[in-house]
Amino acid sequence: MKITSVREISVPLHANIANSVVNFSAHTVSLVAVVSDVVRDGKPVTGVAFDSIGRFAQTGILKDRFIPRLHETDPDELISENGRHFDASKVLEAILRNEKPGGHGDRAHAAAALELAIWDLNAKLEQVPAWRCIADHFGVDPRMEMPVYAAGGYYYPTDSLNRLADEMRHYIDLGYTRFKMKIGGASLQEDMKRIEAALSVVGEGAYLAVDANGRFDRETALQYGRAMKNFGLRWYEEPGDPLDYDIMASLAEDYPHALATGENLFSTQDVRNLIRYGAMRRDQDYFQMDPGLSYGLTDFARMVDLMETSGYSRRQLQPHGGHMIALHVVMGLNVGGSEAYPGVFAPVGGYTPGCRVGDGTVSPTDAVGFGLEEKPDLKPHIDELIQ
Ligand code: MG
């Protein structure tokens, strides 16, 4: 058994929206296919994945470094001990050969796209959904559905408060029971009015999280924390720069409710530093690392281990995502849940039409792998990739 080819295309993201820091209209995603020499129904069994949302395609790194290194590796070195799968950790080791430690940036996303395609390939070889393959591999009792919240709450140029309330009402109509909205793109006073407008629709603060997307300095982060304290929000996400652990530690002393961060930490070492210096509170705060941005599932599982050996629950992990890969990872590793971005970030964002969304949870069909081929807007890109 061996890998015969690895392909990548850059797919534009459909998202003419902005948070307090980033406009997504020019964003792209790397869609990767790993083709094996195993043939079923006249076609080679092929793993497909992408590198999550919000960080651009990684065509150069994949085509110049990672794909050539994979082809240079002895195929026998990439097979699991039982001989039935490809070993994702060995694939990761092969593609990272001669890479220096540290500096985990775009490289971590490129590696993730390829590593996750190996999990899709393995699940297809076993003819099971990816969550089952992941749970079996890591010896985890999987969860059968994923708690999901609707992430949005964007800024609108006109009639901002009414449109924000309408947006939240729309999510309720779609079956969501928990929500997240942006802050940090307006004055503190305006943002407080926006939070009140959202709460007037969703009810209690326990149903609503806010996300500053890393915008604030320490003083602003603390001011927002004090202003929001009485709302009792579900969590306060990425208040400051993702690598400024001291801001998190300051807030942990000052802000009584849950904090969340981690979607922009791309390595186990970064998470270790968050735990060492960020004062994340056990049984309260949330971690949000995304396997699609941080070397794939191999490293993500190490992050889960690190959390547990440091006294946190894996249910405190709510990976950034909003797509099919995150759904299967959350179920397979039995972590806390993830998000949905209803109506934006197509074609990779969102769940397939057969997925059941309701009562604040989502569950997949029994499609093999991540089920990406069942996504009508993504299928033409997959066909282009593997034709
Ligand atoms: Mg966020």
Side-chain angles (χ1 to χ4, degrees):
M1 191 168 70
K2 65 179 181 187
I3 292 164
T4 56
S5 82
V6 182
R7 300 169 198 167
E8 186 267 358
I9 53 171
S10 170
V11 176
L13 208 56
H14 300 166
N16 190 17
I17 53 167
N19 61 35
S20 64
V21 180
V22 172
N23 183 297
F24 292 92
S25 58
H27 274 226
T28 50
V29 173
S30 273
L31 185 67
V32 170
V34 177
V35 185
S36 77
D37 65 347
V38 179
V39 175
R40 288 219 186 104
D41 302 325
K43 291 181 186 162
V45 181
T46 299
V48 178
F50 51 78
D51 61 347
S52 198
I53 287 167
R55 283 278 168 174
F56 296 100
Q58 306 303 329
T59 310
I61 297 174
L62 282 158
K63 291 190 173 166
D64 294 344
R65 308 205 312 257
F66 290 177
I67 296 173
R69 281 181 201 147
L70 197 63
H71 287 313
E72 285 160 11
T73 306
D74 178 350
D76 290 342
E77 285 181 24
L78 303 176
I79 304 298
S80 64
E81 276 176 22
N82 66 19
R84 299 206 315 266
H85 304 110
F86 294 93
D87 186 323
S89 67
K90 290 178 183 168
V91 168
L92 189 64
E93 209 178 298
I95 63 179
L96 293 178
R97 199 164 49 233
N98 294 328
E99 298 277 334
K100 281 186 171 183
H104 310 280
D106 289 20
R107 178 178 79 184
H109 327 327
L114 219 164
E115 199 262 6
L116 289 167
I118 297 292
W119 288 97
D120 187 61
L121 175 56
N122 283 341
K124 286 170 176 166
L125 288 168
E126 288 275 314
Q127 297 185 283
V128 296
W131 63 264
R132 166 55 65 194
C133 180
I134 293 165
D136 288 350
H137 179 86
F138 291 104
V140 173
D141 188 13
R143 60 189 316 159
M144 291 295 112
E145 56 189 16
M146 180 180 86
V148 68
Y149 62 92
Y154 304 106
Y155 287 93
Y156 296 96
T158 57
D159 199 20
S160 181
L161 296 185
N162 285 327
R163 289 180 70 183
L164 178 64
D166 287 345
E167 186 191 330
M168 294 294 154
R169 255 179 235 115
H170 175 59
Y171 296 151
I172 291 172
D173 290 343
L174 291 174
Y176 295 95
T177 57
R178 290 182 170 76
F179 314 88
K180 187 167 81 183
M181 60 176 281
K182 301 299 180 191
I183 57 169
S187 69
L188 184 145
Q189 289 74 18
E190 267 178 72
D191 272 338
M192 294 311 118
K193 284 188 196 143
R194 294 177 66 256
I195 293 171
E196 284 168 5
L199 286 174
S200 73
V201 176
V202 308
E204 292 178 32
Y207 303 140
L208 181 70
V210 293
D211 186 357
N213 292 97
R215 175 80 186 264
F216 300 147
D217 59 21
R218 180 212 301 261
E219 199 42 50
T220 313
L222 289 167
Q223 281 169 4
Y224 264 75
R226 286 166 197 150
M228 296 188 299
K229 195 153 67 179
N230 292 334
F231 292 130
L233 297 172
R234 187 170 183 224
W235 69 62
Y236 174 14
E237 176 172 328
E238 268 201 326
D241 186 286
L243 295 177
D244 192 331
Y245 306 121
D246 197 47
I247 289 185
M248 296 303 292
S250 302
L251 273 167
E253 280 193 9
D254 202 66
Y255 181 71
H257 306 293
L259 297 165
T261 191
E263 71 177 73
N264 290 302
L265 301 184
F266 301 149
S267 73
T268 307
Q269 183 57 47
D270 286 332
V271 177
R272 186 172 289 119
N273 283 340
L274 174 64
I275 288 171
R276 277 179 180 159
Y277 307 115
M280 299 288 279
R281 291 161 292 184
R282 288 166 184 80
D283 300 318
Q284 175 166 340
D285 295 331
Y286 292 97
F287 295 72
Q288 300 175 302
M289 293 75 76
D290 178 346
L293 298 175
S294 55
Y295 296 104
L297 202 45
T298 299
D299 255 40
F300 191 72
R302 290 178 188 139
M303 293 174 188
V304 175
D305 275 352
L306 177 62
M307 282 179 63
E308 290 190 325
T309 54
S310 305
Y312 299 93
S313 159
R314 66 174 61 211
R315 291 292 177 91
Q316 285 176 261
L317 180 51
Q318 291 261 347
H320 169 263
H323 48 66
M324 292 303 294
I325 296 177
L327 170 59
H328 282 268
V329 168
V330 167
M331 287 175 58
L333 288 182
N334 197 353
V335 299
S338 186
E339 59 200 319
Y341 307 109
V344 296
F345 296 132
V348 297
Y351 303 103
T352 58
C355 287
R356 194 192 60 80
V357 179
D359 299 327
T361 64
V362 57
S363 48
T365 68
D366 55 6
V368 296
F370 293 123
L372 299 178
E373 291 80 359
E374 289 190 349
K375 205 160 182 302
D377 48 359
L378 189 58
K379 183 68 165 58
H381 297 286
I382 296 174
D383 290 343
E384 178 194 342
L385 184 66
I386 63 178
Q387 67 185 353

